[in-house]
DNA sequence: TAGCACC
DNA sequence: GGTGCTAAGTCAACG
DNA sequence: CGTTGA
């Protein structure tokens, strides 16, 4: 007799709730042999590190119920029929006269439920539901374009570091799990998205002007060839960036992992994956904890940005 | 990334 | 045609 | 139409 989905399903207690898990042996990463079970076990295992970073943040999920070689889809609006204990954040849509019920992941139960739905990639907002218009960090998203290299990325990241040093600001780097690096600059949650983006753009312009041969701010992809793109427009309401400790739906199942600044020369952007991240985390602890606790004042830089009127 | 309004 | 902005499951079957 | 599963 053919197995039904019901027969494959298993109900487990995760945190405070029971979660129904299905198709655990579904191969999600064919080239690596990793299954949905591996994904769920990963997210479950790092939940104590990950959850504080997701708390109160509206999420865009990228779901791959057929695994990473099938098309995935973004999901913002919470699906009907989800467990009643999944918290949501209604946010008025810009285009339609209706709310989008963003999923909030504040418990391990919800995290595991999302993973069971094939939510490989987790993309949180830069602001929290409790303070939606005021991000609590700015991000320097450093992306190599075709024709540029990881070596180029490292140079640009170091330039970001020295610029932040000049400004007496703390930044926290992580490898993206794809090809680049994200540098988070935690701020007091009282700057608008426009201000946060102006801040990052101002810094990015300095870096481009210092090294125009290898750094670009061009929005058109074809104009970025051979250069490293500093993706400052990513700092905008409704935009998201792959979560720290989030998984990528690409070969190897890489995860986004914080690093120490002095590790930059010894790591690669996909240095960790769902099978190796936990031991790293247990050794280093959560290097991104200060991103939550640090609240920096960027008034001086913002003032200079507005006065300077770079282009 | 795709669709759409607007220039 | 280029630019800026926004959203982001779908479908079929069942009762 | 609400629910469920692929
Ligand atoms: Mn990036
Ligand atoms: Mn980017």
């Amino acid at each position: 007799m053919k197995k039904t989905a019901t027969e494959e399903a298993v109900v487990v207690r995760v945190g405070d709730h029971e979660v129904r898990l299905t198709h655990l042996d579904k191969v999600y990463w064919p080239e690596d042999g990793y299954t949905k079970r591996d994904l769920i076990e990963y997210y479950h295992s790092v939940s104590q590190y990950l959850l504080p970073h997701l708390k109160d943040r509206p999420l865009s999920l990228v779901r791959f119920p057929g695994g990473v070689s099938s098309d995935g889809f973004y999901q913002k609006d919470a699906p009907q029929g989800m467990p009643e204990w999944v918290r949501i954040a209604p946010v008025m849509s810009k285009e339609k006269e209706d709310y989008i019920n963003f999923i909030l992941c504040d418990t391990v139960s919800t995290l595991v439920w999302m993973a069971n739905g094939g939510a490989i990639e987790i993309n949180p907002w830069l602001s929290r539901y409790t303070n939606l218009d005021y991000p609590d960090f700015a991000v320097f998203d450093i992306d190599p374009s075709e024709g540029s290299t990881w070596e180029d990325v490292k140079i640009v990241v170091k330039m970001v570091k020295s610029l932040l040093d000049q400004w007496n600001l703390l930044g926290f780097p992580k490898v993206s799990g794809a090809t680049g690096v994200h540098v988070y600059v935690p701020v007091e949650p009282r700057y608008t998205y426009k201000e946060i983006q102006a801040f990052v753009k101002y810094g990015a312009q300095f870096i481009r002007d210092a090294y125009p041969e290898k750094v670009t701010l061009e929005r058109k992809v074809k104009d970025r060839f051979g250069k490293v793109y500093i993706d400052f427009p990513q700092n905008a309401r409704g935009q998201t960036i792959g979560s720290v400790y989030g998984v990528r739906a690409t070969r190897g199942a890489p995860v986004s992992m914080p690093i120490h600044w002095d590790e930059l020369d010894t790591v690669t952007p996909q240095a960790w994956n769902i099978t190796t991240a936990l031991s790293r985390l247990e050794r280093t602890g959560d290097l991104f904890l200060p991103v939550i606790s640090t609240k920096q004042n960027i008034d001086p830089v913002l003032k200079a940005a507005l006065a300077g009127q770079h282009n």
Side-chain angles (χ1 to χ4, degrees):
Chain A
M1 181 178 169
K2 187 166 170 274
K3 262 193 184 179
T4 67
T6 306
E7 282 165 343
E8 291 180 30
V10 52
V11 176
V12 295
R13 184 155 194 100
V14 183
D16 291 337
H17 304 285
E18 294 195 327
V19 185
R20 184 158 172 273
L21 305 180
T22 53
H23 307 296
L24 290 172
D25 293 317
K26 169 95 189 168
V27 175
Y28 267 19
W29 282 268
E31 295 181 82
D32 306 279
Y34 302 142
T35 62
K36 187 162 94 169
R37 175 182 285 102
D38 297 319
L39 176 73
I40 292 171
E41 286 182 351
Y42 167 74
Y43 273 126
H44 182 256
S45 73
V46 300
S47 62
Q48 63 163 308
Y49 303 100
L50 172 56
L51 286 171
H53 296 284
L54 300 182
K55 182 176 167 50
D56 291 336
R57 296 184 193 281
L59 302 179
S60 289
L61 305 178
V62 194
R63 295 177 53 190
F64 295 83
V68 303
S69 46
S70 309
D71 286 333
F73 58 89
Y74 276 75
Q75 183 158 35
K76 298 208 270 195
D77 207 11
Q80 276 196 312
M82 65 183 181
E84 73 284 355
W85 38 261
V86 174
R87 302 270 73 87
I88 56 173
V91 176
M92 182 58 81
S93 165
K94 288 257 169 87
E95 287 198 343
K96 291 175 282 185
E97 189 180 312
D98 195 11
Y99 287 93
I100 298 171
N101 292 314
F102 283 89
I103 293 165
L104 299 178
C105 184
D106 47 3
T107 67
V108 65
S109 316
T110 297
L111 183 62
V112 166
W113 168 76
M114 295 191 314
N116 183 67
I120 294 176
E121 303 193 355
I122 301 176
N123 302 138
W125 280 36
L126 279 62
S127 56
R128 297 178 188 263
Y129 181 54
T130 49
N131 210 0
L132 254 197
D133 293 318
Y134 302 94
D136 34 30
F137 51 80
V139 181
F140 286 82
D141 175 18
I142 313 297
D143 294 330
S145 310
E146 203 181 320
S148 66
T149 65
W150 172 242
E151 295 304 311
D152 299 327
V153 169
K154 289 195 289 188
I155 293 169
V156 174
V157 171
K158 288 173 186 177
M159 294 176 77
V160 172
K161 166 63 171 159
S162 46
L163 184 61
L164 292 174
D165 285 347
Q166 277 183 49
W167 288 344
N168 277 305
L169 292 170
L170 296 175
F172 301 88
K174 66 182 174 80
V175 294
S176 73
T179 57
V181 169
H182 302 149
V183 179
Y184 282 39
V185 181
V187 300
E188 298 171 9
R190 61 182 177 82
Y191 302 101
T192 63
Y193 274 99
K194 281 191 189 309
E195 290 173 319
I196 292 296
Q197 185 176 117
F199 163 76
V200 175
K201 183 180 182 181
Y202 184 61
Q205 285 168 332
F206 265 109
I207 292 165
R208 178 204 55 193
D209 293 347
Y211 195 21
E213 305 85 352
K214 275 293 177 185
V215 180
T216 180
L217 308 183
E218 292 296 334
R219 60 188 305 276
K220 274 175 280 179
V221 174
K222 66 175 181 66
D223 295 334
R224 300 178 192 162
F225 185 86
K227 299 180 181 179
V228 174
Y229 177 54
I230 304 180
D231 188 2
F232 67 87
Q234 197 71 220
N235 295 271
R237 179 180 161 126
Q239 294 297 114
T240 61
I241 200 152
S243 174
V244 63
Y245 308 124
V247 182
R248 296 281 177 167
T250 56
R251 182 168 56 84
V255 310
S256 181
M257 179 65 69
I259 61 173
H260 290 292
W261 283 108
D262 62 15
E263 287 181 299
L264 195 56
D265 283 317
T266 61
V267 304
T268 58
Q270 303 186 18
W272 293 276
N273 79 351
I274 58 173
T275 71
T276 61
L278 181 61
S279 61
R280 151 85 176 184
L281 262 166
E282 288 173 336
R283 186 166 58 255
T284 63
D286 181 8
L287 297 180
F288 250 40
L289 266 184
V291 172
I292 297 174
S293 57
T294 309
K295 297 175 190 309
Q296 302 179 102
N297 181 330
I298 59 169
D299 287 347
V301 180
L302 223 39
K303 192 175 174 186
L306 294 176
Q309 287 303 345
H310 242 274
N311 50 319

